[in-house]
Amino acid sequence: MPPTTPYAGKFSSCAPYSNNSNHPQPHSPYRNSTGPKPAKENVYNGAYSATENPYDIPQPHTSYRSSSVSSVTAKEHHYGSSCAVSENPYSSPQPRSPRQHSTSCPGRAYRHTTTTTTSSSSGGSSSEQSCRNNTAAAKARLYGHGITASYGEMCYHDNSLVSASLEALIQHLVPTVDYYPDRSYVFTFLLSSRLFLHPYELMTRVCHLCVEQQRSGDALLDKIRFREVAPKLVQLLTEWTETFPYDFRDERMMRCLKDMTHHVARGDEYSWRAMQQMTQRLIKRLSALGQYEEAVAALNAVAMERPASLKSKQASGQRSDVLSVCDDPFILAQQLTHIELDRLSFIGPEEFIQTFAMKDPLENHKGFFRKRKTSNLEAYVNWFNRLSYLVATEICMPVKKKHRARIIEFFIDVAQECFNIGNFNSLMAIITGMNMSPVSRLKKTWSKVNTDKFEILEHQMDPSSNFSNYRTALRGATQRSETAHSSQEKIVIPFFSLLIKDIYFLNEGCASRLANGHINFEKLWELAKQVSEFLVWRQVICPFDRDRRILQYLVTTPVFSEDELHLASYESEGPENNMEKDSRRSLRSSLLHRENRS
């Protein structure tokens, strides 16, 4: 079924999601004009190397944009009035669910046979015999308006694969001379197969089956048949390496890829060259990933340095704050968007599944560029936490109440600009930082702040009703992205922790295996839909100019810990009751002891 638009007509209240130039933005005291500043000419282009700033490392995810996933997610959308009311209200028009254009069972016919009559009348091959044993006839039953049918060990409903045995799913992935798996199936199964077996096991079995199916006992005939299937095998491996390159950090995967390259070289020179080019692109991608992770680790080490003195009045006067680095909310929101999109681009789609995939028994195996399997996803979550603590630190540090109020108003404007851009992750991080206890207790400071805009933003990100307001805004941003007339309108950066939560509960709420032992492929379709949406958002190139000074400040300036924030808050506005007085006394003693030990 084509995707529907359940949110039609619901966005009259979301004016900020139009082009900034067409709708006036809230006035900010930190701007020289009421409208957003146009992006300035990038004076830093070519001025510093990638090793100086990780955000200038060339983003090696162009291969993703030409990969199979793009074919899954960039289908044309047709919106009809007869939408199913039971459709997921949180679904977005792009990308389409892989299930909506999944393999048609009669057309696929399990590749071994088009109908039961054909398979019964033709004998000889082991695959045909297997199909005869599994299905004496293609049985179909009517359920309401849909048709459920079984072909071998694969079950379909309305021409969509809903369940199958693991062996049948693996076999369905293997290309032959006259068959290549649907690209949506390739993405879905490669993504979620790690719930049932290690990627190395899957690759080994697929390559083995592809080679063995061409064996006839005649060496010359075998060579001819493999030469015919080699281009399709190369295509499958190309989709794998470009969509899930981090699987190949395992040296066993690289070794298997190298073995297949040698095997292909014996039969087809064209396919061998394609394999070599594919391997070079893969190594380049993994090398860029290694550089990125090293750069982020170095930045985190700098950021771990503690402020010179815990809320010392003299020290805070000497410390530069965010307003001394950037006093324009629009520019700061742009730089936050750069960081978000840069870090998103290095998150592998499989990391969402690896968070709850079965533990690899060979986890300690010395792998290719051995790293934790969800390290980039975790680094992105850590960035959210850092931004929240940075906001709280900036507010609690100033000595004067007037300065603290000014910084609060500034971050409210930054949050508004993030909302207009479509950067929901930075928006939520800023709101989180401003709602931390050390900040929210500064009542005298907040009394000097006009909180109207902040209350509107809080309403947009209200967690009630499963973040229904945010989900509506996200669908609006997604719809704007699809019809974008400028690169800025294409930006959609979701509230990442909620995205992870959605995928987690989708996995936990649905059984991976059915009572008959089949894999629940309906669940795999839904997981793929969630992750493929993320891939579409991730591939956007940030259109704003980079400001090196602001970027460095955001990712490296030290921030307070939770205890340090509480102490700084108490020294900004004294304790109001005995409990707070005891807390301040305890914090002073504890933090002083830590300083002496270090």
Side-chain angles (χ1 to χ4, degrees):
M1 177 183 295
T4 61
T5 53
Y7 44 83
K10 293 186 180 180
F11 290 101
S12 57
S13 62
C14 295
Y17 265 118
S18 297
N19 193 331
N20 284 340
S21 63
N22 297 329
H23 291 264
Q25 301 303 321
H27 174 70
S28 166
Y30 308 98
R31 293 201 194 149
N32 297 325
S33 61
T34 57
K37 288 186 178 181
K40 297 181 293 185
E41 184 180 356
N42 187 358
V43 297
Y44 294 106
N45 281 343
Y48 56 100
S49 65
T51 56
E52 291 178 289
N53 191 313
Y55 304 111
D56 274 353
I57 296 175
Q59 302 304 313
H61 57 279
T62 54
S63 59
Y64 284 81
R65 298 169 196 156
S66 60
S67 68
S68 61
V69 180
S70 62
S71 68
V72 176
T73 60
K75 301 273 187 175
E76 182 182 0
H77 303 292
H78 304 278
Y79 302 115
S81 59
S82 58
C83 60
V85 295
S86 60
E87 185 164 347
N88 182 359
Y90 304 140
S91 63
S92 302
Q94 181 172 354
R96 298 180 64 184
S97 167
R99 187 180 172 185
Q100 291 166 346
H101 45 85
S102 60
T103 302
S104 172
C105 53
R108 286 303 190 197
Y110 206 20
R111 292 195 319 281
H112 305 308
T113 173
T114 53
T115 65
T116 308
T117 306
T118 303
S119 63
S120 299
S121 61
S122 60
S125 73
S126 59
S127 59
E128 291 169 344
Q129 183 63 44
S130 173
C131 194
R132 286 199 300 271
N133 292 339
N134 289 326
T135 54
K139 301 178 180 178
R141 299 184 304 276
L142 230 45
Y143 286 100
H145 299 289
I147 297 178
T148 299
S150 297
Y151 295 83
E153 294 184 343
M154 306 185 77
C155 297
Y156 294 81
H157 182 70
D158 287 346
N159 291 342
S160 291
L161 178 62
V162 294
S163 71
S165 67
L166 181 59
E167 290 300 323
L169 292 174
I170 295 174
Q171 181 68 50
H172 200 57
L173 187 65
V174 179
T176 64
V177 173
D178 56 357
Y179 164 79
Y180 188 82
D182 185 88
R183 288 186 170 183
S184 61
Y185 175 82
V186 172
F187 173 72
T188 300
F189 189 55
L190 289 182
L191 174 70
S192 296
S193 61
R194 61 200 73 236
L195 291 171
F196 313 103
L197 74 169
H198 193 281
Y200 165 71
E201 297 178 76
L202 176 62
M203 185 175 180
T204 302
R205 292 169 70 172
V206 167
C207 292
H208 175 75
L209 286 171
C210 189
V211 172
E212 288 301 314
Q213 285 179 357
Q214 313 311 317
R215 296 193 185 279
S216 63
D218 186 320
L220 181 59
L221 181 59
D222 291 352
K223 185 175 182 179
I224 295 174
R225 293 177 63 175
F226 185 77
R227 183 182 301 161
E228 292 175 346
V229 79
K232 293 183 178 180
L233 176 60
V234 173
Q235 181 182 349
L236 178 64
L237 294 176
T238 299
E239 291 188 35
W240 196 331
T241 57
E242 292 185 348
T243 312
F244 303 96
Y246 301 169
D247 284 348
F248 294 84
R249 287 185 130 183
D250 185 340
E251 66 180 16
R252 296 170 296 176
M253 293 284 287
M254 292 297 290
R255 189 162 54 244
C256 185
L257 189 64
K258 183 178 179 180
D259 292 342
M260 285 309 302
T261 302
H262 290 319
H263 195 88
V264 168
R266 294 196 294 266
D268 181 37
E269 182 178 355
Y270 176 82
S271 297
W272 172 70
R273 289 178 179 175
M275 287 281 287
Q276 284 188 318
Q277 294 172 358
M278 173 191 69
T279 304
Q280 290 172 359
R281 291 193 301 270
L282 173 62
I283 293 175
K284 183 178 180 181
R285 171 66 178 173
L286 294 177
S287 176
L289 174 63
Q291 293 176 32
Y292 162 77
E293 290 178 338
E294 290 174 2
V296 169
L299 289 172
N300 290 341
V302 174
M304 286 299 292
E305 297 176 3
R306 313 311 305 151
S309 179
L310 298 177
K311 195 57 179 71
S312 165
K313 302 298 182 182
Q314 295 79 9
S316 64
Q318 299 170 0
R319 179 184 184 271
S320 61
D321 62 15
V322 65
L323 290 178
S324 66
V325 177
C326 176
D327 62 356
D328 188 320
F330 186 55
I331 298 298
L332 189 67
Q334 289 180 339
Q335 302 311 305
L336 288 172
T337 303
H338 265 297
I339 296 172
E340 298 280 355
L341 288 174
D342 286 344
R343 298 204 174 195
L344 276 178
S345 70
F346 281 97
I347 298 176
E350 73 283 351
E351 293 191 46
F352 294 98
I353 308 301
Q354 292 288 174
T355 57
F356 42 77
M358 63 184 206
K359 187 175 180 180
D360 180 10
L362 298 177
E363 191 172 322
N364 295 325
H365 180 83
K366 184 178 180 181
F368 183 70
F369 286 142
R370 183 179 59 185
K371 296 281 184 183
R372 285 183 299 175
K373 296 177 181 178
T374 59
S375 59
N376 298 300
L377 186 148
E378 293 170 18
Y380 189 58
V381 173
N382 291 337
W383 155 249
F384 177 94
N385 295 333
R386 170 181 167 74
L387 180 55
S388 298
Y389 275 86
L390 175 62
V391 170
T393 300
E394 293 288 340
I395 294 172
C396 290
M397 278 295 293
V399 178
K400 296 182 179 180
K401 175 174 56 180
K402 181 179 179 181
H403 193 186
R404 292 195 298 272
R406 187 165 175 251
I407 289 182
I408 290 177
E409 291 176 343
F410 174 73
F411 275 117
I412 291 174
D413 285 341
V414 173
Q416 175 72 48
E417 297 294 357
C418 288
F419 180 84
N420 293 341
I421 290 172
N423 182 356
F424 296 104
N425 201 57
S426 290
L427 165 64
M428 192 60 178
I430 293 171
I431 293 176
T432 301
M434 299 178 76
N435 280 321
M436 284 184 176
S437 176
V439 177
S440 62
R441 67 169 296 276
L442 300 175
K443 297 178 182 178
K444 295 178 182 178
T445 302
W446 280 98
S447 68
K448 302 293 183 181
V449 178
N450 183 343
T451 60
D452 290 345
K453 285 187 292 184
F454 184 61
E455 290 169 0
I456 294 173
L457 292 171
E458 281 190 307
H459 178 71
Q460 288 289 346
M461 305 303 289
D462 185 357
S464 63
S465 301
N466 195 19
F467 288 88
S468 61
N469 293 340
Y470 158 72
R471 294 184 191 276
T472 299
L474 180 65
R475 290 197 298 272
T478 303
Q479 187 179 46
R480 180 189 68 176
S481 177
E482 295 169 6
T483 59
H485 299 291
S486 67
S487 54
Q488 179 175 335
E489 292 177 341
K490 294 180 181 180
I491 297 173
V492 181
I493 303 174
F495 173 29
F496 196 68
S497 295
L498 186 60
L499 175 62
I500 296 175
K501 176 185 173 184
D502 288 344
I503 295 175
Y504 174 81
F505 280 109
L506 174 59
N507 178 69
E508 293 296 310
C510 301
S512 297
R513 288 186 182 269
L514 305 179
N516 62 357
H518 277 196
I519 304 298
N520 181 3
F521 213 80
E522 285 187 294
K523 170 182 174 178
L524 271 55
W525 284 132
E526 292 303 318
L527 288 172
K529 175 188 173 183
Q530 293 266 13
V531 176
S532 62
E533 286 178 340
F534 161 78
L535 293 183
V536 173
W537 298 329
R538 185 192 68 173
Q539 70 183 9
V540 174
I541 299 295
C542 188
F544 307 122
D545 291 336
R546 296 177 185 269
D547 189 308
R548 179 186 180 185
R549 184 181 178 216
I550 300 174
L551 287 172
Q552 289 293 110
Y553 184 86
L554 290 172
V555 298
T556 62
T557 190
V559 299
F560 281 146
S561 66
E562 187 171 359
D563 286 347
E564 291 166 347
L565 279 174
H566 277 286
L567 183 57
S569 177
Y570 289 139
E571 294 198 9
S572 293
E573 294 185 16
E576 296 181 347
N577 52 52
N578 290 332
M579 182 179 296
E580 288 190 346
K581 289 179 181 178
D582 292 340
S583 176
R584 181 175 68 172
R585 209 165 24 244
S586 175
L587 286 170
R588 278 178 171 173
S589 175
S590 174
L591 293 174
L592 183 61
H593 179 66
R594 291 181 199 172
E595 277 195 331
N596 292 335
R597 289 182 58 186
S598 59

